[in-house]
Amino acid sequence: MEDFRLKNAVFVTSVGTDGRYPEKLDAEIAIVGKSNVGKSSLINSLCNNFKLAKTSQQPGKTRLINFFRVNDCFYIVDLPGYGFARTSKEEKRKWGSLIESYLSSGRVTHIFMLIDIRHAPTEDDRLMFKWILYYGIPFTLIATKADKVAKSKRAQAANAAAKELGAPPFAFPVSSETGQGRDELLKRIHDVWADALKPRGSDVD
């Protein structure tokens, strides 16, 4: 990988329960996590465009699946956050239907699941992780808001959160405020995209 960057990142469309997804590209990396965990901030940081994905102080604001075309060859997909306490039962049902339809669509190449480094995973986090495993989608765990934890404790806290989730005990500590973890995630995105270009059944690097 030589100076891989996310360029030409543009919003394409928002998709609801009608399932009218945009045309497929080389790869599709979905970003999921509870409300206010920092999904939009992470997308903006990775793409170096802080007006790309709309951020809000109001949790639960994103209720559609937002597609961003990056480098004219793959999508980063922002999924609606879950676990917002004031969400009605009907809204939760719609969210579940929306997300499950997308995860079962066969479009998703990889999932970045975000967890808050400061707190133990919630029951909603565990349910989301079970869905990822059920649909057999490759994933990377990302522990956000790392700047809120002492630098010497970040790696340990991130890995502990992953273990509590029921996953292998490793997560990338990331901060959209300081840029920590950005280069590592850019490499992971490059690798996911490069792997998606390989013919199926190929082990050639």
Side-chain angles (χ1 to χ4, degrees), residues 164-179:
E164 285 192 65
L165 185 66
F170 177 79
F172 286 100
V174 168
S175 169
S176 296
E177 293 292 326
T178 66

PDB file of all heavy atoms in Angstrom, residues 164-179:
ATOM      1  N   GLU A 164     -15.440  -8.360  26.157  1.00  0.00           N
ATOM      2  CA  GLU A 164     -16.750  -8.338  26.796  1.00  0.00           C
ATOM      3  C   GLU A 164     -17.875  -8.491  25.775  1.00  0.00           C
ATOM      4  O   GLU A 164     -18.947  -9.007  26.098  1.00  0.00           O
ATOM      5  CB  GLU A 164     -16.942  -7.040  27.570  1.00  0.00           C
ATOM      6  CG  GLU A 164     -16.186  -6.967  28.877  1.00  0.00           C
ATOM      7  CD  GLU A 164     -16.637  -5.800  29.736  1.00  0.00           C
ATOM      8  OE1 GLU A 164     -17.798  -5.798  30.171  1.00  0.00           O
ATOM      9  OE2 GLU A 164     -15.828  -4.881  29.940  1.00  0.00           O
ATOM     10  N   LEU A 165     -17.627  -8.053  24.565  1.00  0.00           N
ATOM     11  CA  LEU A 165     -18.615  -8.198  23.499  1.00  0.00           C
ATOM     12  C   LEU A 165     -18.796  -9.662  23.098  1.00  0.00           C
ATOM     13  O   LEU A 165     -19.827 -10.039  22.544  1.00  0.00           O
ATOM     14  CB  LEU A 165     -18.180  -7.367  22.286  1.00  0.00           C
ATOM     15  CG  LEU A 165     -19.133  -7.279  21.102  1.00  0.00           C
ATOM     16  CD1 LEU A 165     -20.405  -6.524  21.496  1.00  0.00           C
ATOM     17  CD2 LEU A 165     -18.455  -6.580  19.921  1.00  0.00           C
ATOM     18  N   GLY A 166     -17.769 -10.466  23.395  1.00  0.00           N
ATOM     19  CA  GLY A 166     -17.800 -11.861  22.988  1.00  0.00           C
ATOM     20  C   GLY A 166     -16.991 -12.113  21.733  1.00  0.00           C
ATOM     21  O   GLY A 166     -17.096 -13.171  21.107  1.00  0.00           O
ATOM     22  N   ALA A 167     -16.176 -11.138  21.371  1.00  0.00           N
ATOM     23  CA  ALA A 167     -15.341 -11.225  20.174  1.00  0.00           C
ATOM     24  C   ALA A 167     -13.901 -11.544  20.586  1.00  0.00           C
ATOM     25  O   ALA A 167     -13.553 -11.498  21.762  1.00  0.00           O
ATOM     26  CB  ALA A 167     -15.379  -9.895  19.415  1.00  0.00           C
ATOM     27  N   PRO A 168     -13.034 -11.887  19.615  1.00  0.00           N
ATOM     28  CA  PRO A 168     -11.607 -11.976  19.930  1.00  0.00           C
ATOM     29  C   PRO A 168     -11.157 -10.672  20.591  1.00  0.00           C
ATOM     30  O   PRO A 168     -11.606  -9.588  20.204  1.00  0.00           O
ATOM     31  CB  PRO A 168     -10.957 -12.166  18.551  1.00  0.00           C
ATOM     32  CG  PRO A 168     -12.023 -12.820  17.733  1.00  0.00           C
ATOM     33  CD  PRO A 168     -13.320 -12.212  18.203  1.00  0.00           C
ATOM     34  N   PRO A 169     -10.304 -10.743  21.596  1.00  0.00           N
ATOM     35  CA  PRO A 169      -9.983  -9.560  22.408  1.00  0.00           C
ATOM     36  C   PRO A 169      -9.056  -8.565  21.723  1.00  0.00           C
ATOM     37  O   PRO A 169      -7.934  -8.319  22.154  1.00  0.00           O
ATOM     38  CB  PRO A 169      -9.327 -10.165  23.656  1.00  0.00           C
ATOM     39  CG  PRO A 169      -8.695 -11.417  23.154  1.00  0.00           C
ATOM     40  CD  PRO A 169      -9.619 -11.944  22.091  1.00  0.00           C
ATOM     41  N   PHE A 170      -9.539  -7.987  20.640  1.00  0.00           N
ATOM     42  CA  PHE A 170      -8.763  -6.939  19.973  1.00  0.00           C
ATOM     43  C   PHE A 170      -9.696  -5.946  19.297  1.00  0.00           C
ATOM     44  O   PHE A 170     -10.633  -6.335  18.592  1.00  0.00           O
ATOM     45  CB  PHE A 170      -7.819  -7.506  18.913  1.00  0.00           C
ATOM     46  CG  PHE A 170      -7.081  -6.421  18.172  1.00  0.00           C
ATOM     47  CD1 PHE A 170      -5.977  -5.805  18.749  1.00  0.00           C
ATOM     48  CD2 PHE A 170      -7.521  -5.989  16.933  1.00  0.00           C
ATOM     49  CE1 PHE A 170      -5.316  -4.775  18.084  1.00  0.00           C
ATOM     50  CE2 PHE A 170      -6.862  -4.964  16.265  1.00  0.00           C
ATOM     51  CZ  PHE A 170      -5.758  -4.348  16.847  1.00  0.00           C
ATOM     52  N   ALA A 171      -9.445  -4.676  19.542  1.00  0.00           N
ATOM     53  CA  ALA A 171     -10.145  -3.596  18.836  1.00  0.00           C
ATOM     54  C   ALA A 171      -9.162  -2.457  18.631  1.00  0.00           C
ATOM     55  O   ALA A 171      -8.245  -2.256  19.435  1.00  0.00           O
ATOM     56  CB  ALA A 171     -11.358  -3.122  19.646  1.00  0.00           C
ATOM     57  N   PHE A 172      -9.342  -1.723  17.544  1.00  0.00           N
ATOM     58  CA  PHE A 172      -8.502  -0.560  17.272  1.00  0.00           C
ATOM     59  C   PHE A 172      -8.970   0.608  18.140  1.00  0.00           C
ATOM     60  O   PHE A 172     -10.120   1.041  18.017  1.00  0.00           O
ATOM     61  CB  PHE A 172      -8.604  -0.141  15.808  1.00  0.00           C
ATOM     62  CG  PHE A 172      -7.883  -1.028  14.847  1.00  0.00           C
ATOM     63  CD1 PHE A 172      -8.575  -1.979  14.113  1.00  0.00           C
ATOM     64  CD2 PHE A 172      -6.514  -0.915  14.654  1.00  0.00           C
ATOM     65  CE1 PHE A 172      -7.921  -2.802  13.205  1.00  0.00           C
ATOM     66  CE2 PHE A 172      -5.849  -1.730  13.751  1.00  0.00           C
ATOM     67  CZ  PHE A 172      -6.554  -2.670  13.030  1.00  0.00           C
ATOM     68  N   PRO A 173      -8.111   1.160  19.020  1.00  0.00           N
ATOM     69  CA  PRO A 173      -8.486   2.399  19.700  1.00  0.00           C
ATOM     70  C   PRO A 173      -8.383   3.565  18.723  1.00  0.00           C
ATOM     71  O   PRO A 173      -7.356   3.750  18.068  1.00  0.00           O
ATOM     72  CB  PRO A 173      -7.461   2.521  20.832  1.00  0.00           C
ATOM     73  CG  PRO A 173      -6.308   1.672  20.424  1.00  0.00           C
ATOM     74  CD  PRO A 173      -6.805   0.650  19.442  1.00  0.00           C
ATOM     75  N   VAL A 174      -9.469   4.329  18.626  1.00  0.00           N
ATOM     76  CA  VAL A 174      -9.551   5.376  17.597  1.00  0.00           C
ATOM     77  C   VAL A 174     -10.127   6.649  18.217  1.00  0.00           C
ATOM     78  O   VAL A 174     -11.018   6.596  19.069  1.00  0.00           O
ATOM     79  CB  VAL A 174     -10.448   4.909  16.428  1.00  0.00           C
ATOM     80  CG1 VAL A 174     -10.789   6.063  15.500  1.00  0.00           C
ATOM     81  CG2 VAL A 174      -9.753   3.805  15.645  1.00  0.00           C
ATOM     82  N   SER A 175      -9.626   7.776  17.767  1.00  0.00           N
ATOM     83  CA  SER A 175     -10.185   9.072  18.158  1.00  0.00           C
ATOM     84  C   SER A 175     -10.326   9.949  16.916  1.00  0.00           C
ATOM     85  O   SER A 175      -9.335  10.234  16.239  1.00  0.00           O
ATOM     86  CB  SER A 175      -9.292   9.774  19.181  1.00  0.00           C
ATOM     87  OG  SER A 175      -9.701  11.119  19.356  1.00  0.00           O
ATOM     88  N   SER A 176     -11.548  10.358  16.644  1.00  0.00           N
ATOM     89  CA  SER A 176     -11.764  11.276  15.526  1.00  0.00           C
ATOM     90  C   SER A 176     -11.279  12.678  15.869  1.00  0.00           C
ATOM     91  O   SER A 176     -11.049  13.497  14.978  1.00  0.00           O
ATOM     92  CB  SER A 176     -13.257  11.317  15.160  1.00  0.00           C
ATOM     93  OG  SER A 176     -13.688  10.056  14.703  1.00  0.00           O
ATOM     94  N   GLU A 177     -11.131  12.948  17.166  1.00  0.00           N
ATOM     95  CA  GLU A 177     -10.656  14.256  17.611  1.00  0.00           C
ATOM     96  C   GLU A 177      -9.161  14.418  17.366  1.00  0.00           C
ATOM     97  O   GLU A 177      -8.711  15.449  16.881  1.00  0.00           O
ATOM     98  CB  GLU A 177     -10.960  14.442  19.104  1.00  0.00           C
ATOM     99  CG  GLU A 177     -12.431  14.533  19.444  1.00  0.00           C
ATOM    100  CD  GLU A 177     -13.075  15.805  18.926  1.00  0.00           C
ATOM    101  OE1 GLU A 177     -12.384  16.848  18.900  1.00  0.00           O
ATOM    102  OE2 GLU A 177     -14.256  15.760  18.547  1.00  0.00           O
ATOM    103  N   THR A 178      -8.384  13.385  17.689  1.00  0.00           N
ATOM    104  CA  THR A 178      -6.925  13.483  17.590  1.00  0.00           C
ATOM    105  C   THR A 178      -6.357  12.800  16.348  1.00  0.00           C
ATOM    106  O   THR A 178      -5.205  13.013  15.991  1.00  0.00           O
ATOM    107  CB  THR A 178      -6.260  12.860  18.818  1.00  0.00           C
ATOM    108  OG1 THR A 178      -6.511  11.436  18.824  1.00  0.00           O
ATOM    109  CG2 THR A 178      -6.813  13.462  20.102  1.00  0.00           C
ATOM    110  N   GLY A 179      -7.175  11.958  15.711  1.00  0.00           N
ATOM    111  CA  GLY A 179      -6.694  11.214  14.548  1.00  0.00           C
ATOM    112  C   GLY A 179      -6.033   9.898  14.897  1.00  0.00           C
ATOM    113  O   GLY A 179      -5.557   9.191  13.994  1.00  0.00           O
TER     114      GLY A 179
END
